[in-house]
Amino acid sequence: TMSPVNSQVIITEVAPRDGLQSEVQWVPSEIKQHFIHLLQEAGVPEIECTSFVSPKWVPQMADNQQLWLGIHKKPGVSYLALVPNVQGLHLAIESKVEEVVVFGSVSEAFSLKNINCTIDQSIDKFSKIVALAQLHNIRVRGILSCTLGCPYEGPIEARQVVKVAEKMKAIGINRLGLADTIGVGTPNAVITLLDQIATIYPVHSLSAHFHDTYGQALVNIYACLQAGVRRFDSSVSGLGGCPYAKGATGNVATEELVYMLHGLGYHTGINLEKLIMAGDFMRNYLKNTNNSRVALAYLAKRS
Amino acid sequence: TMSPVNSQVIITEVAPRDGLQSEVQWVPSEIKQHFIHLLQEAGVPEIECTSFVSPKWVPQMADNQQLWLGIHKKPGVSYLALVPNVQGLHLAIESKVEEVVVFGSVSEAFSLKNINCTIDQSIDKFSKIVALAQLHNIRVRGILSCTLGCPYEGPIEARQVVKVAEKMKAIGINRLGLADTIGVGTPNAVITLLDQIATIYPVHSLSAHFHDTYGQALVNIYACLQAGVRRFDSSVSGLGGCPYAKGATGNVATEELVYMLHGLGYHTGINLEKLIMAGDFMRNYLKNTNNSRVALAYLAKRS
């Protein structure tokens, strides 16, 4: 039997930002807002809503300020926005964002190709973001991509993740997300990584972000749970593909995660049926396939 | 570090039988045989090839005897056939089958609807099969369906599984497979079941058969591995749908299982790339979607 604190798992729903950003077809702000409202009504405690990034880089996020203002915020829910740089943070400040996410990488090649700077340059950028955010009482959460493998460099060693994590910690980032961006990890690698990172980021300050490209996301999350991690990113209906292999699966579906967590006796505060319907709403709008097996089974049985 | 014995996992590939039996379009024997040959070339140690069942019930298996004779058996590989009754065993004996599978259920409702008899009647049938099989030096393996839930009865308690397992053991079935036929289980339920069954069937005599309907198959297999189970059924490319919810996922894909096992340091004897190509061959023939995420990622990267 678990203690009440230990049985609580916090899910950060990333579909509105991470899930939608790779969608080519434009999704109007009202649709995104309705989607976010359905998610919060389903009991999702944290929602990554948009990115304060240049529309030149991510056209789907061009409506960030307008979108943010139109969200009917629900008390108790955390709304997150990604900021790639200080300019983005200024926009976030204007929009009264309370918590931002900075997105780095532990792979030099991935950093150069995806955020157009070296790892050290990205840390430098993040440190400016942290400094300005602190002045405005805005919390900053860090995410590191490619922590179990890189599409360009291949396998990544845990000590490389530790090296970059130390730098993130040194600039004042107290909550870190570890992402398996290409979904190549398996549980033993996950456990090794968590073991080595624990001296810098204690387990309660960590979150994990898994992709289901090789079907390993849920088993990796289970390994994280056994190691004490209680915070996970996921995307309803598995929204968001894999940009490194067209047709392959991207983010783990929130439905699968919630199904497992509830089966294991964890509390998420989420109503699975309402969650499925939120994903179904966006998939119907986009007219593409739902990547959640839980949703497919539920919707098939209902029809 | 694992001992050599403990690091060995035996996969029973069920696609040619369990995977194909629900396919409506007829697959000619030569295609099935080529599929089986590709699987054995990929290093699969055990293959469930067909069912000696009346073609009235399962038209896809109507070629069982002809199919069996046309398989170029590879030394070291076990070839399995399902037999529903003594008549089926007679056909299997004629075909020189060395190991058969009997398929029962722990749910009374499922037993009645799917094998047209009560649980006790099925045990009685199996005992006749075991007696005749022993005379012919044929090994008999048992599978129990619905061990974590039933499409008609809902949740199934572990003690109900134990009750039926005791009967299977009493009639001389020394190897038992536990199936989550509708894929509803999560790891704690799996661990509870394994704990309770251990007094009747020690862990080395057990195998597990998971469906991925709710995306939980791999995490359940991981829980089984942690409990000492080293034998699993799976289906290449996830062949075989879910007859209880059209459009939902059925058997766990062998590719996902092998990917995880190799990542964890287990030995399977299987070449993942050749395995993917075997699944791809059958999916191309059937002209339907590959349900393995590993295969989708691999084939997407290759193209």
Side-chain angles (χ1 to χ4, degrees), chain B:
Chain B
T1 56
M2 292 181 284
S3 70
V5 168
N6 223 1
S7 74
Q8 186 77 25
V9 171
I10 307 290
I11 290 177
T12 305
E13 174 57 57
V14 301
R17 198 283 301 174
D18 191 2
L20 283 180
Q21 75 168 15
S22 53
E23 277 296 328
V24 183
Q25 53 185 309
W26 171 248
V27 180
S29 304
E30 313 82 67
I31 298 292
K32 289 172 184 154
Q33 284 152 353
H34 186 61
F35 184 38
I36 290 167
H37 296 152
L38 290 173
L39 290 167
Q40 67 194 21
E41 279 317 303
V44 174
E46 299 192 343
I47 308 174
E48 196 178 282
C49 295
T50 190
S51 177
F52 289 93
V53 62
S54 163
K56 196 175 69 185
W57 296 111
V58 188
Q60 188 65 265
M61 301 287 122
D63 61 347
N64 41 36
Q65 286 200 294
Q66 181 194 332
L67 171 86
W68 198 271
L69 292 172
I71 300 169
H72 305 302
K73 313 272 188 322
K74 188 180 164 190
V77 174
S78 294
Y79 300 87
L80 304 163
L82 199 104
V83 295
N85 47 38
V86 168
Q87 298 93 293
L89 182 58
H90 279 298
L91 295 175
I93 291 166
E94 279 176 33
S95 299
K96 306 207 188 312
V97 173
E98 293 175 353
E99 186 164 8
V100 295
V101 180
V102 296
F103 181 84
S105 184
V106 301
S107 151
E108 206 61 79
F110 191 90
S111 189
L112 285 168
K113 292 211 188 199
N114 275 63
I115 50 178
N116 303 305
C117 59
T118 66
I119 293 173
D120 281 343
Q121 286 168 340
S122 74
I123 301 286
D124 195 51
K125 233 174 15 178
F126 300 157
S127 95
K128 293 190 177 96
I129 291 173
V130 170
L132 179 59
Q134 280 171 347
L135 288 179
H136 292 266
N137 264 319
I138 293 171
R139 296 185 298 281
V140 181
R141 194 181 287 195
I143 303 251
L144 291 177
S145 68
C146 301
T147 58
L148 292 159
C150 166
Y152 313 114
E153 293 183 7
I156 296 281
E157 293 205 33
R159 60 177 177 184
Q160 169 65 10
V161 185
V162 168
K163 239 176 70 185
V164 183
E166 278 169 346
K167 295 178 182 183
M168 296 288 270
K169 185 74 174 197
I171 61 166
I173 290 175
N174 295 319
R175 282 182 51 193
L176 189 71
L178 301 171
D180 183 9
T181 310
I182 51 171
V184 290
T186 44
N188 289 356
V190 172
I191 294 162
T192 301
L193 176 59
L194 292 175
D195 273 355
Q196 297 208 22
I197 215 98
T199 52
I200 311 159
Y201 283 98
V203 81
H204 70 264
S205 61
L206 284 179
S207 64
H209 177 117
F210 286 105
H211 280 217
D212 209 25
T213 322
Y214 295 85
Q216 311 294 311
L218 221 49
V219 72
N220 287 335
I221 290 173
Y222 185 70
C224 285
L225 286 166
Q226 291 187 324
V229 177
R230 292 294 180 271
R231 292 177 169 273
F232 301 96
D233 290 357
S234 60
S235 180
V236 74
S237 82
L239 207 67
C242 171
Y244 311 102
K246 221 175 154 53
T249 312
N251 289 304
V252 65
T254 310
E255 295 92 324
E256 267 80 325
L257 176 55
V258 169
Y259 184 96
M260 179 180 77
L261 290 170
H262 291 182
L264 290 171
Y266 290 97
H267 298 282
T268 65
I270 295 174
N271 177 310
L272 180 55
E273 190 173 335
K274 287 187 181 176
L275 180 74
I276 291 168
M277 298 321 292
D280 190 49
F281 163 78
M282 186 48 82
R283 288 297 185 175
N284 281 336
Y285 178 81
L286 295 170
K287 295 191 176 40
N288 59 25
T289 309
N290 199 315
N291 264 334
S292 159
R293 291 180 170 182
V294 168
L296 289 175
Y298 176 88
L299 296 167
K301 277 189 0 188
R302 221 186 42 143
S303 68

Side-chain angles (χ1 to χ4, degrees), chain A residues 45-123:
Chain A
E46 300 193 342
I47 308 173
E48 196 177 281
C49 296
T50 190
S51 177
F52 288 93
V53 62
S54 163
K56 197 176 68 189
W57 296 111
V58 188
Q60 188 65 265
M61 301 288 123
D63 62 346
N64 41 35
Q65 287 201 292
Q66 182 194 332
L67 170 87
W68 198 272
L69 292 172
I71 300 169
H72 304 302
K73 312 272 188 323
K74 188 180 163 189
V77 174
S78 294
Y79 300 87
L80 304 164
L82 199 104
V83 294
N85 47 36
V86 169
Q87 298 94 290
L89 182 58
H90 280 297
L91 296 175
I93 292 166
E94 280 175 32
S95 299
K96 305 207 190 312
V97 174
E98 292 174 354
E99 185 164 7
V100 295
V101 180
V102 296
F103 181 84
S105 183
V106 301
S107 151
E108 205 63 77
F110 191 89
S111 188
L112 285 168
K113 292 211 188 198
N114 274 62
I115 50 178
N116 303 306
C117 60
T118 66
I119 293 173
D120 281 343
Q121 287 168 340
S122 75
I123 301 285

Side-chain angles (χ1 to χ4, degrees), chain A residues 184 186-188 191 212-216 218-219 222 226 245-246 248-249 256 259-260 263-264 291 293-294 297 300-301, chain B residues 184 186-188 212-216 218-219 222 226 245-246 248-249 256 259-260 263-264 291 293-294 297 300-301:
Chain A
V184 291
T186 44
N188 289 356
I191 294 163
D212 209 25
T213 321
Y214 295 86
Q216 311 294 312
L218 222 50
V219 73
Y222 185 70
Q226 291 186 325
K246 220 173 154 53
T249 312
E256 266 81 322
Y259 185 96
M260 178 180 77
L264 291 170
N291 264 334
R293 291 180 168 180
V294 168
K301 276 187 7 186
Chain B
V184 290
T186 44
N188 289 356
D212 209 25
T213 322
Y214 295 85
Q216 311 294 311
L218 221 49
V219 72
Y222 185 70
Q226 291 187 324
K246 221 175 154 53
T249 312
E256 267 80 325
Y259 184 96
M260 179 180 77
L264 290 171
N291 264 334
R293 291 180 170 182
V294 168
K301 277 189 0 188

